[in-house]
Amino acid sequence: MNYLSGFLPLSLANLTQISLLYVGNNLISGELDPRLFSNWNRLRFLELHNNNFTGMIPSEIGLLVNLVELALSSNHFHVLIPSSFGNLTELTMLFLHQNECSGTFPHSLLNCNLLVELLLFTNRLSGFVPQGLANLTSLRELHLSENNFSGPLPQVCQGAKVQLFTAAFNNFTGPIPKKLACTSLVRVRLHNNQLSGSLDRDFGVYPNLNYCKLSHNRLEGLLSRNLEQLKVAGNMIKGEIPEEFGKLNRLAVLDLSSNQLVGKIPKIGKLSSLEDLDLSENKLNGQIPGQLGECSKLHNLCLRKSYFNGSIPFQLGYLTLQGSLDLSQNLLTQQILPELAKFTMLEHLNVSHNMLSGSIPSLFGTMTGLTSIDFSYNDLEGPVPDSGFFHRASPAAFSNNKNLCGEVLGLKPCSNTSVEKETRKKNHNVPIIIVSASLSWLILSLALFILYALSRRAKRSRESKEAMVSEARNPLSVVNYDGKIVYEDIIEATESFDEKYCIGSGGSGRVYKAKLTLGPILAIKKLLCLDGEQMEKLRSFTNEIRALTEISHKNIVKFYGFCCHGPHKFLVYDYIERGSLADEACISDFGTAKILNPDSSNVTVLAGTLGYVAPELAYTVSAMEKCDVYSFGVVALEVMMGKHPAELVSVLNSCLDQKDVQLVLDPRIRTPADEETALEVASIVRHAVSCICVEPKSRPTMRWVSQALSEARTNV
């Protein structure tokens, strides 16, 4: 890749003997001059892809009758695809994807009998696709996705040996044509259309097919295929899951969710390659088969919203789940198995809306990878696991149970009886050995125990007092409203907030640099005086500030706590020198927008993070929770662009087409050649851009962004 820019010079037309012109992957712009193509009679390869060309595609390109490859993809060409392309009868590869071409499918392309690869995806083409494509017997790849095509799917396999066929995100209707059934197909993507009909009657047999995605259509019927990935979610597929699925030892992804499947899960324990299994939102019933524990590579298991009953099989503990385990909205009973605690890398655990009883196993506290949990709407009781993540979990995650307790907001504290009961449950299989001894030995042992207990109690008392003193002297203590010593240390370090220590200011106050006598250098954000109503709101954020102090990430400034003493109120952060994202600078104010009154003009401009701060903070409009969303969008764009988006932030919008996406990508990295990766990259950029809307209310929530990015990766 080079960085050539400017226009394509007309003097190139003098190269009458040229057979190959490759200027792809540059920054060349402007319209193509038709006179360029008047003397290139020997040209066989014309590669102009991934530039910034605009305007119409010159019909004079049709004069280059010896062309074998023509690549005009990833530019800004618009209007119609020239009918003169039908003259290029020697053409084997035509790449017009990721442009802004409109109009209908050029019927003249049916004259190009030697075409092997035809890529038209991500344009604005509409109308019917001609059925004559089936006569292009050399065709191996046909990509029509992300257009506005309508009508029936083309019959592409009458004489051809198409291997890759994509037509997703269009408006195709009717059944899948039986003449589509070419045994050569390897990958098929027809999702997000309006296709109907029966899979088992219309779809045919494809012995070489290893990827098939038909999700979000109107298909029904039964299905049995030899695949590596099968995604047919959101259709109307009925009947039972065929037993033959248990023999698909190459199957890695199986998504049959949101259909009308009934019966039991077949024996699929031999699916040694299976990584993702989603059977949720069907009418499946019976017990969850223990054979699932034999799927050794399974990372995600989703059986949500069906009619599974009985207990959770202990064999699931043999798995190495690392993504999600969702068994919610079923009829599961009995206890939650402690074997599931082996999933130390599991991120999402949901067993809500069942009839599970007993307690949440204490070993679940060792599942360090968890980012979300839900145990609500069961018959659970006893203490929740004693770990930081469970303490910080939302109260809704434990709601509507029998009698859960613990150090979680919304739950009552556990009594000694509850803890002892849990302890007895953990030890109920341990045999009790009764040892008889003489009365004298009993008295002696009792006396020694009392002496030992008294000495330990005294030692703990001393340690407790020392810890209290140490905590009072610790400038990094969490939420210390009465931290007089902390307050005095900060006052001394900043010389009563002298101007020479001020490193930044904003509508909510100023930021000071403080080097304490004992401790690291801190950034102290001194807030303006707050009235009584705002102080009441600050008190309600105590628990949230505690959670913020436990956030640990190398790119988020460490937040130590909030100090409120005397006339001053301030936030305590770790001090970070100025730097760029490439220098691993950190983002501050992460998650603290709610501490400020959303209806006031109190905002802050933080030293060291300019360029990542939401505009409403920079211009002192109002502080909102969407400030963090904005910062995420800027960082995500910087990763994709290879540099800070700078002034582009103010002009980008979430309605980017594929060409606009190409403009913002890092030019040092080659543009993805395959459609699936290109769509995924485009999705990341579009979602990042949606996060940097100037209007905060137009930005999505981080939960929505996370789900959207996950779905984008799953969809491709």
Side-chain angles (χ1 to χ4, degrees), residues 14 17 75 105 152-153 163 211 243 252 255 362 424 441 457 466 472 475 477 490-491 493 560 615 639 659 663 692:
N14 298 325
Q17 303 299 313
N75 281 287
F105 188 101
L153 279 175
Q163 298 176 348
Y211 182 97
E243 291 286 343
D255 185 357
S362 60
R424 286 198 300 271
W441 276 106
R457 189 174 189 179
E466 292 173 358
S477 60
I490 292 175
I491 293 297
Y560 291 118
V639 171
K659 296 300 96 211
L663 283 177
I692 61 171

Side-chain angles (χ1 to χ4, degrees), residues 9-10 106 121 166 203 215 224-225 267 276 287 309-310 380 480 589 605 615 626 674 690:
L10 184 60
F121 67 87
T166 66
F203 197 50
S215 303
S224 176
R225 297 290 174 263
K267 297 179 180 179
D276 297 316
Q287 294 189 341
N309 53 44
L380 300 171
N480 191 354
D589 256 10
V605 178
K626 295 297 183 69
D674 62 286
S690 71

